[in-house]
Amino acid sequence: MTNVNEELYEEEEEDTTPVYENEKLDILIRQMRLCKTATFYVETLSNDDIRLIADEVRINQRWNTLRIIGHNQVQLDGAQYLFDALAANPALKSLHLGGNSLGDAGVSIFIPLLSSNMTITELILTDNQITEVGGQIIADMLRVNSTLMTLVLHGNPLLDAGVVSIVETLHRNRTMTVLKLTRTSMTDLGAQKIALMLQSKPTMEVLSLDSNDISDVGMQAICLALEENQTLKCLNIRQNQITDKSLDTIVKMLETKRIFDRLDLARNQFSDQAKETIRQTNTNINTVKSLIL
């Protein structure tokens, strides 16, 4: 006969494995279950919370955009669990992981996912402490990825080395149309490499380079490239170190009558006279729809 105490002991053993729960997060997941976009804008997500989200990602075919934004406490095993779930979900098109401090180690997990991924077209990794090492990892992925169209790396200390690694890969990439490199500590070297990329890449439409350390040397190289490139429609190069020395090159570029939807040159070091010259040039030819000085 089985001892009653033994039965109680067996029941206790079955219940010893704790199940993580987060009631607020569970409610949020349920509320977004039928939406196309799932946004988790919470600064206190833990590794276990990421696993809860990943479990939903693995099975939810309605979500085509996933946004996990904030200074979260995601560790590498949590990131790996999430990316494994993403690999199992062909419905997802846009992935936004801003402010999660993934670092270069976290980025390295993207290689098996995005190198062969045929669905994700937009990747946003703003403020993730990615350095030139991570830049090279991203470049390696772009060599074989033929799906990604938008890449946003704002606020990562890529330096020129990281920017150059990515840009040189894009010479052969025919799918990328949007590249945003705001606050990446880029200098004229990075800008010059971007100019070379613009000369050989007819698909780039949007380029953001604001809040870097680009001077007249880099600006002039980009303007010369844009005399030939007629594809780029939006250029944001505000808050750099560009002065009146670039005025003639900017005017000449505008006079080629290339069309811009948006050209943002604000918060540089132009004199009022130089700004007026640029405005008047655009008034005469009317090729920039939105000119910001």
Side-chain angles (χ1 to χ4, degrees):
M1 180 179 293
T2 304
N3 188 287
V4 174
N5 290 334
E6 289 180 356
E7 289 181 350
L8 291 174
Y9 179 73
E10 288 176 0
E11 289 179 3
E12 288 176 358
E13 278 193 322
E14 291 174 0
D15 295 334
T16 54
T17 303
V19 177
Y20 178 76
E21 294 181 353
N22 182 328
E23 184 177 356
K24 290 183 179 179
L25 182 58
D26 284 337
I27 292 172
L28 184 58
I29 290 173
R30 288 199 299 271
Q31 288 175 339
M32 292 188 291
R33 188 158 281 160
L34 300 180
C35 299
K36 291 184 177 181
T37 298
T39 300
F40 299 92
Y41 191 26
V42 184
E43 294 192 355
T44 56
L45 288 176
S46 68
N47 224 35
D48 288 323
D49 292 330
I50 290 296
R51 288 175 177 270
L52 289 179
I53 295 171
D55 286 339
E56 181 68 22
V57 168
R58 193 179 299 274
I59 61 173
N60 192 320
Q61 298 291 308
R62 289 181 177 271
W63 289 354
N64 56 34
T65 299
L66 176 64
R67 306 171 77 239
I68 302 176
I69 308 168
H71 300 289
N72 297 308
Q73 302 168 16
V74 184
Q75 299 170 12
L76 289 183
D77 60 330
Q80 181 69 66
Y81 193 84
L82 173 63
F83 298 142
D84 288 344
L86 290 169
N89 187 339
L92 203 72
K93 307 296 183 185
S94 176
L95 180 60
H96 185 171
L97 298 176
N100 283 284
S101 302
L102 293 174
D104 298 327
V107 167
S108 68
I109 302 173
F110 282 127
I111 288 183
L113 168 65
L114 291 181
S115 293
S116 58
N117 183 276
M118 301 296 290
T119 57
I120 294 177
T121 60
E122 181 180 62
L123 177 62
I124 302 176
L125 297 174
T126 302
D127 294 322
N128 267 290
Q129 300 175 14
I130 302 168
T131 73
E132 64 271 25
V133 175
Q136 182 62 62
I137 294 170
I138 292 170
D140 291 339
M141 176 270 293
L142 291 174
R143 285 191 178 90
V144 294
N145 179 286
S146 59
T147 306
L148 199 64
M149 299 175 65
T150 297
L151 177 62
V152 180
L153 295 170
H154 294 330
N156 289 291
L158 293 169
L159 306 177
D160 286 324
V163 170
V164 169
S165 295
I166 293 168
V167 169
E168 288 185 341
T169 302
L170 294 179
H171 284 277
R172 297 175 295 278
N173 181 296
R174 288 293 180 266
T175 54
M176 184 78 65
T177 59
V178 178
L179 179 63
K180 298 188 176 183
L181 298 169
T182 296
R183 295 183 289 111
T184 54
S185 300
M186 181 196 321
T187 71
D188 288 329
L189 176 59
Q192 288 172 313
K193 294 297 184 179
I194 286 172
L196 290 174
M197 179 268 292
L198 290 173
Q199 291 175 342
S200 64
K201 183 169 176 55
T203 59
M204 188 65 66
E205 297 178 3
V206 178
L207 184 61
S208 292
L209 308 174
D210 53 306
S211 302
N212 283 297
D213 295 310
I214 301 170
S215 74
D216 295 304
V217 173
M219 182 63 191
Q220 290 170 18
I222 290 173
C223 285
L224 289 172
L226 290 177
E227 289 183 25
E228 301 296 329
N229 178 302
Q230 296 293 313
T231 307
L232 194 75
K233 300 303 180 187
C234 297
L235 174 62
N236 182 352
I237 197 165
R238 65 159 47 215
Q239 199 167 341
N240 278 280
Q241 311 299 321
I242 305 165
T243 73
D244 289 9
K245 292 180 181 179
S246 294
L247 178 60
D248 291 343
T249 312
I250 294 171
V251 169
K252 184 180 178 184
M253 180 265 294
L254 292 175
E255 288 177 340
T256 62
K257 297 185 178 180
R258 72 174 326 286
I259 303 297
F260 277 107
D261 289 334
R262 178 185 176 93
L263 177 59
D264 191 342
L265 300 169
R267 301 185 69 179
N268 278 289
Q269 299 175 17
F270 295 117
S271 66
D272 290 341
Q273 183 177 357
K275 291 179 183 178
E276 183 56 34
T277 299
I278 296 171
R279 287 194 191 95
Q280 191 59 50
T281 301
N282 186 52
T283 298
N284 293 339
I285 58 179
N286 195 29
T287 57
V288 184
K289 295 179 182 178
S290 176
L291 176 62
I292 304 172
L293 293 168

